[in-house]
Amino acid sequence: MALLGDDGLHIEGIGRLRLVSDAANEIFISPPTLLHPEGLNSGNRLAVLALAGAHWGEWVRQPESDWSLKANSTPYDSVQELCYEYELGALRGDRSLIEVVARTAVQVLARSEVKGTSAELGIWMANGLDRKKARIGFRVLHKGSVLKRGAASGNDLDWQEESLADIGTTKLAIPAGALVQCIASYDGHAHQLQWRADPNIFQNPRAAVLSIVDQSQQTIRGYLQPELPPRNRAADDFEAAIGWLLWALGFSTATFGVNAKTRDAFDTVAITPNGDFVVVECTLGLLRADSKLSKLSARAASLRETLGASNMKHLRILPVIVTAMTAEQVNADLAQAEQIGVLVVTKENLDKVFDELLRYPDANSLFERALISVENKRIARQPQKVVSTTAVPGVAFE
């Protein structure tokens, strides 16, 4: 491959890209990941091929490199911030790495929409692909239940050809206020999932309140995705936005972390309609920074003891830590969190929450799903123990 050759790969307008090796670190090409987690988190099929080379620390010496960047005419705080600026993600390990990403050539048409009792759904795919192999699937949800599911194959779509793509569309009759999940697939493989709803009709009345407060969602999304490094009230804004989301999802919430006199007790406590508790710890950074995980465990234990003393041991408690970082960035901390039964919510999960806001709020269901996920991950971290997942309610938090 050109990347591994002496001359490297020439990229017009950028330069030459070359992956080097040394005596201690030969070029390593990992098996391709055909369903990369980053794609799955956003509803896309992404295939990734990773190639690792020599240690990058030999060229990017620290702390000299960070301090050189600070002195530039366009200053950066660190090499890590520079990577974020160019959307290269977090620095992982100490070896140079090139990832080749194959994005899907079949997608849900961006202008697919729901209006009143009609849904116009479409598929976008690259020119040259076989229209007969394309398909747009759908699931119609109304008031928390699936009313209809089906698909329109390529032969049944209305097609038009554009300069770079073929576009196939179809129409579907739906109940007013219904939510439609669109599934773009090709040759029997799903490539992208998207949700569509009428922006003027809400299934979730709490989301309707949020739309009045923050019509374009720019404020809440800005709070959930603060600039790095964080400034001013970024931590308090992040906690406030988490409280808003939990409330819109059907929980009753109380946020204590934004007040100096109460922040030592809890960040946020949320309660389901069934009375189960979610104890939330928020962080803009790593999970173990400032003893966040330890504090969360202690706070959940304190609440459990208080409920037990009040003869309410039957109520379950789910400890949750929410971070503004990606799963990749906090990967080093995940093992400890999962071993102690803490649900970790990362940036990718927060992005997906906005799809949940379209649905009829069901905090009880969300709590049960989260509890099962936590228990399954805890078991996976302790393979020597055999625990039935059917015992989740009684095992995890009694």
Side-chain angles (χ1 to χ4, degrees), residues 286-293 321 332-333 336:
L286 299 174
L287 309 185
R288 289 184 289 185
D290 300 324
S291 303
K292 291 282 187 177
L293 272 180
I321 187 165
D333 295 344
Q336 181 181 347

Side-chain angles (χ1 to χ4, degrees), residues 35-342:
L35 288 170
H36 195 275
E38 187 171 336
L40 298 180
N41 286 327
S42 58
N44 293 290
R45 174 186 288 268
L46 291 182
V48 178
L49 178 66
L51 304 87
H55 291 291
W56 56 264
E58 297 181 10
W59 310 297
V60 187
R61 296 187 179 277
Q62 294 292 9
E64 291 85 357
S65 295
D66 285 354
W67 280 81
S68 294
L69 287 170
K70 297 177 196 294
N72 280 352
S73 57
T74 303
Y76 290 89
D77 185 62
S78 64
V79 174
Q80 183 63 79
E81 186 187 8
L82 183 66
C83 288
Y84 288 140
E85 181 76 13
Y86 285 88
E87 299 182 352
L88 296 176
L91 291 172
R92 289 175 291 169
D94 58 358
R95 296 187 65 177
S96 53
L97 179 70
I98 293 177
E99 290 184 329
V100 182
V101 180
R103 300 186 180 276
T104 178
V106 179
Q107 300 177 6
V108 175
L109 184 63
R111 60 175 181 261
S112 297
E113 62 179 357
V114 171
K115 285 187 177 181
T117 59
S118 176
E120 183 169 351
L121 314 178
I123 191 170
W124 179 101
M125 70 178 192
N127 286 339
L129 295 180
D130 189 346
R131 294 180 178 182
K132 295 180 182 178
K133 294 182 179 180
R135 178 180 297 155
I136 181 73
F138 57 84
R139 294 170 61 243
V140 180
L141 286 77
H142 188 59
K143 295 183 178 180
S145 300
V146 178
L147 295 184
K148 183 188 299 185
R149 64 182 83 231
S153 64
N155 291 331
D156 299 323
L157 298 176
D158 296 323
W159 289 96
Q160 64 183 78
E161 186 174 345
E162 296 189 351
S163 58
L164 298 176
D166 289 344
I167 293 175
T169 59
T170 187
K171 291 186 177 181
L172 180 69
I174 60 172
L179 177 67
V180 181
Q181 183 186 42
C182 310
I183 308 164
S185 62
Y186 185 83
D187 199 21
H189 297 282
H191 283 259
Q192 188 183 46
L193 311 178
Q194 292 282 298
W195 291 93
R196 293 293 187 270
D198 189 332
N200 298 314
I201 303 176
F202 289 91
Q203 281 197 33
N204 185 342
R206 299 189 181 203
V209 174
L210 281 187
S211 73
I212 296 174
V213 176
D214 184 15
Q215 186 173 10
S216 63
Q217 295 183 345
Q218 288 184 351
T219 299
I220 189 170
R221 289 181 183 272
Y223 286 173
L224 294 174
Q225 300 171 359
E227 294 181 4
L228 295 176
R231 304 173 183 174
N232 301 325
R233 289 179 47 86
D236 289 345
D237 291 340
F238 185 74
E239 289 184 25
I242 295 301
W244 298 345
L245 285 179
L246 286 168
W247 179 81
L249 291 171
F251 293 88
S252 298
T253 60
T255 299
F256 302 100
V258 297
N259 190 294
K261 294 182 178 181
T262 58
R263 65 181 55 190
D264 288 339
F266 297 101
D267 278 359
T268 298
V269 175
I271 307 175
T272 69
N274 286 343
D276 295 312
F277 285 82
V278 179
V279 179
V280 182
E281 185 76 17
C282 297
T283 177
L284 297 180
L286 299 174
L287 309 185
R288 289 184 289 185
D290 300 324
S291 303
K292 291 282 187 177
L293 272 180
S294 299
K295 291 178 181 177
L296 175 60
S297 295
R299 290 165 178 172
S302 175
L303 178 57
R304 190 174 296 113
E305 292 175 2
T306 300
L307 293 175
S310 301
N311 201 26
M312 290 184 286
K313 291 182 64 176
H314 63 285
L315 297 177
R316 296 169 295 174
I317 300 172
L318 175 64
V320 178
I321 187 165
V322 186
T323 175
M325 286 188 162
T326 66
E328 184 179 56
Q329 291 169 325
V330 299
N331 183 63
D333 295 344
L334 284 178
Q336 181 181 347
E338 292 174 354
Q339 286 172 352
I340 62 177
V342 171

Side-chain angles (χ1 to χ4, degrees), residues 352-383:
K352 293 184 68 175
V353 165
F354 288 93
D355 288 339
E356 292 284 347
L357 293 181
L358 299 174
R359 309 175 190 229
Y360 193 80
D362 189 351
N364 291 327
S365 174
L366 288 173
F367 183 89
E368 296 296 339
R369 285 155 49 191
L371 203 60
I372 291 173
S373 174
V374 165
E375 182 64 7
N376 287 341
K377 290 177 180 178
R378 189 186 68 81
I379 293 172
R381 294 289 182 181
Q382 301 173 335

